[in-house]
Amino acid sequence: MQDAKTMRTNFIWDIVDTDLSNGKNGGRVQTRFPPEPNGYFHIGHCKAICINFLTAQRYDGLCNLRFDDTNPSKESEEYVRAIMEDIRWLGFEWTGGLYYASDYFPTMYELALKLIREGNAYVCDLTHEQIRATRGTLTEPGSNSPYRERSVEENLDLFQRMKAGEFADGTRVLRAKIDMSSPNMNMRDPVIYRIVHVAHHRTGDAWCIYPMYDYAHSIEDALERITHSLCSLEFENHRPLYDWVVEKCGFTQEPPRQIEFARLNMTRTIMSKRYLRQLVEGGHVAGWDDPRMPTIAGMRRRGYTPAAIRDFVDRIGMSKADSVADFGLLEHCVREDLGNTAARAMAVLRPIKVVLTNWPEGQVETLTLENHPDHPELGERQVTFGRELYIEQEDFMLDPPKKFFRLFPGGEVRLKGAYIIKCEKAIVDPQGNPIELRCTVDLDSKSGCEGAARKVKGTLHWVHAADAVPVEARLYEPLLKDENAEELGEENEAAEAAESLAPAHHDKKDFISRLNPESLSVAHGYAEPALAQANPGDRFQFLRVGYFTMDADSMPGAPVFNRTVSLKDSWSKMAGQEAAGR
RNA sequence: UGGGGUGUCGCCAAGCGGUAAGGCACGGGACUUUGACUCCCGCAUUCGUAGGUUCGAAUCCUGCCACCCCAGCCA
């Protein structure tokens, strides 16, 4: 895996370098990854995870894992567990410790009292609608709340009674007293505490007032002595408020520095939590860990490796420019990692029988194949060879086009690690489709023997019918038919809510109709015997087919494999262009 | 017509006044008992745009254009 210290730099690390050279924080670097435990992680989260943990590693600093659990109505312990599992799976450890925003509720409450005493916060009785109406607009200033000049005593009394549970949800809030005419909407007396009579997954009913993000996050960072608080671009507008809270709460240390970066978007991928949930709840996928899902759990089950995902995040770079990464780059990273590490094996997904007419009935030969062409240390394995074999249907054509290097009547191919065979005759069904091939084998052409020097155009993978293991292969394609999935990227909930009220974008509304009905196809084929001994999670390259990972759905003697990613296929690309050109 | 950001090859992205890195994709070729891998070669006279400063600008200045974010008692 990468070494954070030797990785190429980026604008964030340039800033850290500058801070360090200016002697900030005594040379100490501490970051934090602060998820709200309100859902499953997807590929988009990986970027934030990497930058936070790698920044700590690069500077011999620490990275905290902090659950930003300030909104009990959306959070749960289930997500906390899943998130920790995902982070560890990616290979990171929260060296700075594990924290929960909820552990700071008492401190946050005390600091709120301090803000009130010092005239920096007040209890506001305006309704939700009134607050919105008096906030002004993007071009007009807001107006002061009639409760803005309440006395400290009254504010203290009211806030304590809010905490005591005397008031119903939505009847009062605590607001920071800043500037209702600020051009930055976030500074127009933002709400910092609201009343929510909902049990919290960790603090239960201890609280009925909960701090808002802007207030809570600043305090969390300051309390944990975070030096660099990395977050995504949409928080850029919040930075003045972030700094305001740290200052007014009286933290005298060097303040944490918030730095924003562009979040990860990717083509052909659905990242919107709303759509992802729709897929799961609508039964369009098998669950959050369906191998088609861009969730970490889904990618894990599909067979993507942490190394590949991290390499991908590294390669897309770090900047402030809105961008959409190419899904093909992720696939490239997966192929590169697996190509180097996965053991080779042979499996025929859509079999057609081959009978070697000049091979003695009942004779079986054992052949030795390498597990990896470039890594002899991965060892060898044995496969048997006999009279009846299976090859891939698409490796035979009755009437082949030019440059078809595979099998056809009268043509010759090598069977990988075995012999050269020649197709003498194809048996076809009444519709003319080949159902069995009669071939002769060149007995002198066995791999490793003198006669093996003879060259033929194509080499095919195959399995011996006598001891082949039946396998189920699950083949995955993108969930959406079109390639415009990036428009279904993460959106904020206001947009989601507005969308559900007034579905203006028909393409989004028709999300379900855009689903690719062929995102999952199942093939039943045969594999060499060794695969019966594999374990769930084991990864292989099925020669000439693709990378596959054994699924936990496998039963003894009946393995199930997920296609992680196909092999690059210049033949089908070329053939496709030929066809299009005709 | 408020404020905050961003604009360099199809997609990412270096570059920080000295004359456009790299990756993916793409095209061509070599090699090949995986049409995989690997290996060569090609791929921005130009940096949103119009001016200006300078011997010299993607880098500095000015205007303009485009896109993103902000009016949650979400994070």
Side-chain angles (χ1 to χ4, degrees):
Chain A
M1 209 88 71
Q2 315 110 315
D3 174 0
K5 295 190 181 181
T6 57
M7 290 170 73
R8 64 184 168 141
T9 187
N10 58 55
F11 83 98
I12 292 176
W13 291 346
D14 289 345
I15 292 172
V16 177
D17 285 337
T18 302
D19 286 348
L20 253 24
S21 65
N22 289 337
K24 288 220 177 152
N25 300 298
R28 190 177 58 86
V29 171
Q30 187 148 7
T31 58
R32 102 272 89 119
F33 179 62
E36 179 186 24
N38 69 346
Y40 288 95
F41 274 4
H42 55 64
I43 182 72
H45 294 97
C46 295
K47 186 175 180 181
I49 293 172
C50 287
I51 187 61
N52 278 295
F53 286 97
L54 289 174
T55 297
Q57 286 178 16
R58 184 179 179 85
Y59 297 96
D60 292 321
L62 300 170
C63 181
N64 302 358
L65 170 60
R66 181 173 68 228
F67 287 100
D68 214 355
D69 53 352
T70 57
N71 185 354
S73 53
K74 308 174 74 167
E75 300 152 3
S76 82
E77 200 63 39
E78 175 193 358
Y79 298 129
V80 169
R81 282 192 298 271
I83 288 168
M84 291 199 285
E85 180 186 0
D86 288 346
I87 295 172
R88 285 206 166 105
W89 180 74
L90 281 173
F92 295 112
E93 192 56 50
W94 33 100
T95 53
L98 172 64
Y99 303 86
Y100 292 85
S102 50
D103 287 342
Y104 303 128
F105 285 169
T107 306
M108 290 172 180
Y109 177 73
E110 291 303 320
L111 287 170
L113 258 18
K114 171 187 169 74
L115 291 184
I116 291 171
R117 277 189 229 104
E118 295 175 2
N120 289 317
Y122 62 97
V123 173
C124 182
D125 300 357
L126 255 26
T127 64
H128 202 323
E129 293 66 36
Q130 290 169 323
I131 287 180
R132 178 168 47 217
T134 53
R135 184 152 28 224
T137 68
L138 295 179
T139 53
E140 304 156 31
S143 52
N144 286 168
S145 163
Y147 305 99
R148 200 172 197 264
E149 301 306 332
R150 275 217 255 240
S151 69
V152 168
E153 291 65 35
E154 188 180 4
N155 278 321
L156 249 18
D157 173 62
L158 253 13
F159 187 55
Q160 282 160 179
R161 287 164 62 194
M162 280 170 64
K163 173 178 181 284
E166 285 188 32
F167 310 119
D169 290 5
T171 54
R172 275 180 239 267
V173 293
L174 184 70
R175 289 228 249 173
K177 189 191 283 189
I178 307 180
D179 179 6
M180 288 306 293
S181 61
S182 170
N184 183 340
M185 301 294 291
N186 294 305
M187 301 297 271
R188 319 244 265 225
D189 288 10
V191 172
I192 58 176
Y193 260 100
R194 76 292 214 180
I195 302 171
V196 183
H197 288 271
V198 167
H200 186 282
H201 66 99
R202 295 191 76 245
T203 60
D205 294 322
W207 297 84
C208 64
I209 57 172
Y210 292 92
M212 297 285 287
Y213 167 86
D214 288 300
Y215 176 72
H217 206 89
S218 310
I219 293 173
E220 293 154 21
D221 282 349
L223 289 174
E224 292 173 21
R225 297 291 180 135
I226 299 303
T227 58
H228 300 271
S229 182
L230 314 180
C231 61
S232 46
L233 244 31
E234 66 267 30
F235 292 104
E236 219 156 12
N237 298 324
H238 296 242
R239 197 165 65 225
L241 178 52
Y242 178 95
D243 293 339
W244 184 93
V245 173
V246 172
E247 184 201 327
K248 298 302 181 189
C249 284
F251 291 100
T252 54
Q253 63 203 257
E254 282 182 90
R257 176 169 186 168
Q258 177 178 304
I259 304 170
E260 311 84 8
F261 59 89
R263 65 192 315 155
L264 168 60
N265 296 298
M266 191 160 65
T267 62
R268 293 162 61 191
T269 306
I270 302 160
M271 301 246 240
S272 152
K273 203 170 285 173
R274 171 169 58 129
Y275 288 123
L276 255 18
R277 184 175 297 114
Q278 227 173 303
L279 289 173
V280 173
E281 292 175 355
H284 300 101
V285 296
W288 288 98
D289 68 343
D290 186 295
R292 290 166 289 180
M293 293 285 276
T295 51
I296 295 185
M299 294 190 291
R300 178 164 54 223
R301 187 169 171 193
R302 181 155 172 169
Y304 286 12
T305 59
I309 293 171
R310 284 226 233 163
D311 183 34
F312 168 70
V313 170
D314 178 35
R315 291 199 200 205
I316 57 173
M318 183 61 62
S319 76
K320 298 190 70 156
D322 292 309
S323 61
V324 183
D326 186 351
F327 179 74
L329 179 58
L330 209 207
E331 291 197 311
H332 168 83
C333 294
V334 174
R335 285 192 186 102
E336 186 168 278
D337 185 29
L338 262 23
N340 200 22
T341 58
R344 313 284 117 129
M346 292 199 289
V348 173
L349 268 31
R350 296 189 174 84
I352 180 171
K353 181 172 279 189
V354 170
V355 177
L356 302 176
T357 54
N358 62 334
W359 187 273
E361 199 102 38
Q363 179 176 318
V364 173
E365 190 169 318
T366 298
L367 305 168
T368 300
L369 275 71
E370 60 197 4
N371 283 333
H372 192 115
D374 307 323
H375 296 294
E377 70 276 15
L378 288 181
E380 300 175 324
R381 67 190 188 283
Q382 253 88 52
V383 296
T384 62
F385 185 88
R387 192 165 201 266
E388 296 195 354
L389 313 168
Y390 292 111
I391 65 166
E392 210 73 62
Q393 283 173 23
E394 65 168 26
D395 283 337
F396 174 81
M397 284 185 97
L398 280 169
D399 182 22
K402 284 248 186 310
K403 293 201 178 167
F404 184 78
F405 299 157
R406 310 178 187 183
L407 201 56
F408 52 88
E412 282 190 312
V413 294
R414 170 170 291 285
L415 296 180
K416 173 72 179 178
Y419 296 83
I420 291 173
I421 63 168
K422 179 178 185 181
C423 178
E424 306 290 353
K425 179 183 172 192
I427 297 174
V428 300
D429 66 11
Q431 286 73 244
N433 301 310
I435 52 175
E436 186 179 309
L437 307 176
R438 295 292 162 89
C439 301
T440 51
V441 51
D442 174 355
L443 278 343
D444 295 326
S445 65
K446 181 179 173 183
S447 287
C449 299
E450 276 182 39
R454 188 158 75 88
K455 300 291 182 195
V456 290
K457 278 292 176 75
T459 300
L460 307 185
H461 60 286
W462 54 276
V463 295
H464 181 26
D467 60 8
V469 177
V471 296
E472 173 177 324
R474 296 175 180 169
L475 312 177
Y476 303 106
E477 296 292 336
L479 278 163
L480 292 181
K481 285 182 281 202
D482 50 71
E483 299 215 343
N484 300 321
E486 64 265 34
E487 74 193 51
L488 301 181
E490 193 98 69
E491 28 176 53
N492 60 45
E493 290 176 31
E496 296 196 16
E499 182 69 26
S500 61
L501 291 173
H505 308 86
H506 291 283
D507 52 347
K508 287 192 178 181
K509 183 185 146 205
D510 295 344
F511 165 65
I512 295 302
S513 69
R514 289 168 57 192
L515 289 178
N516 178 6
E518 285 157 18
S519 62
L520 166 64
S521 57
V522 177
H524 292 278
Y526 295 104
E528 57 180 82
L531 292 192
Q533 259 56 65
N535 296 304
D538 285 353
R539 300 179 175 92
F540 299 90
Q541 183 200 90
F542 288 174
L543 243 45
R544 302 208 311 129
V545 180
Y547 296 97
F548 286 77
T549 303
M550 190 165 166
D551 194 87
D553 283 353
S554 299
M555 302 295 278
V560 174
F561 286 92
N562 294 314
R563 182 171 68 193
T564 307
V565 64
S566 64
L567 246 32
K568 286 216 288 190
D569 183 359
S570 59
W571 161 248
S572 71
K573 184 186 289 182
M574 185 172 81
Q577 285 171 355
E578 290 276 312
R582 269 185 235 178

